[in-house]
Amino acid sequence: EVQLVESGGGLVQAGGSLRLSCALSGFTDNDYCIGWFRQAPGKERKGLSCITISDGSTFYVDSVKDRFVVSIDNAKKMVYLEMHSLKPEDTAVYYCAASPSVFIGGSPVWSMFGYWGQGTQVTVSS
């Protein structure tokens, strides 16, 4: 059974940094992309980045590509999201999720992410 468990959320001041972790288990092959999403209060959940298990290829949406870094440690079965220069508008519940490694026009297909973690709260104070 595929499982993803996030950790590392918390309260941070604007301008600060935070690293989220996503522990992976139950994957039977490497043809997956592990994505990070966030959902702010009253807003839709949005995809932020994705990293492939097979070769570590990454994708970022424009709004975070200069501040967030996604990485994978296959030996530890961990995916990380380092967030820098955090802003109050980054406040949200952050989720990691898994999808078959499918890209269209170089972008992951966000609707294909079917395995989800429970989420971790990130709050950025001004």
Side-chain angles (χ1 to χ4, degrees), residues 25-123:
S25 62
F27 289 84
T28 57
D29 62 69
N30 289 336
D31 196 21
Y32 282 89
C33 200
I34 306 301
W36 286 96
F37 294 72
R38 70 183 178 191
Q39 186 167 21
K43 295 188 177 180
E44 294 184 353
R45 188 164 54 192
K46 291 187 176 181
L48 305 174
S49 69
C50 182
I51 185 167
T52 58
I53 295 177
S54 59
D55 63 3
S57 296
T58 58
F59 172 86
Y60 300 90
V61 297
D62 287 345
S63 61
V64 303
K65 66 180 181 179
D66 293 330
R67 300 186 296 124
F68 291 9
V69 179
V70 63
S71 61
I72 188 167
D73 184 333
N74 278 314
K76 294 182 178 179
K77 299 184 180 180
M78 297 290 293
V79 172
Y80 304 99
L81 182 69
E82 295 181 36
M83 306 184 292
H84 304 284
S85 301
L86 284 164
K87 308 172 183 179
E89 50 264 43
D90 293 318
T91 294
V93 178
Y94 284 71
Y95 300 88
C96 61
S99 163
S101 190
V102 175
F103 291 79
I104 297 178
S107 300
V109 182
W110 299 119
S111 60
M112 292 187 68
F113 283 80
Y115 299 101
W116 292 86
Q118 81 287 356
T120 186
Q121 176 71 46
V122 172
T123 303

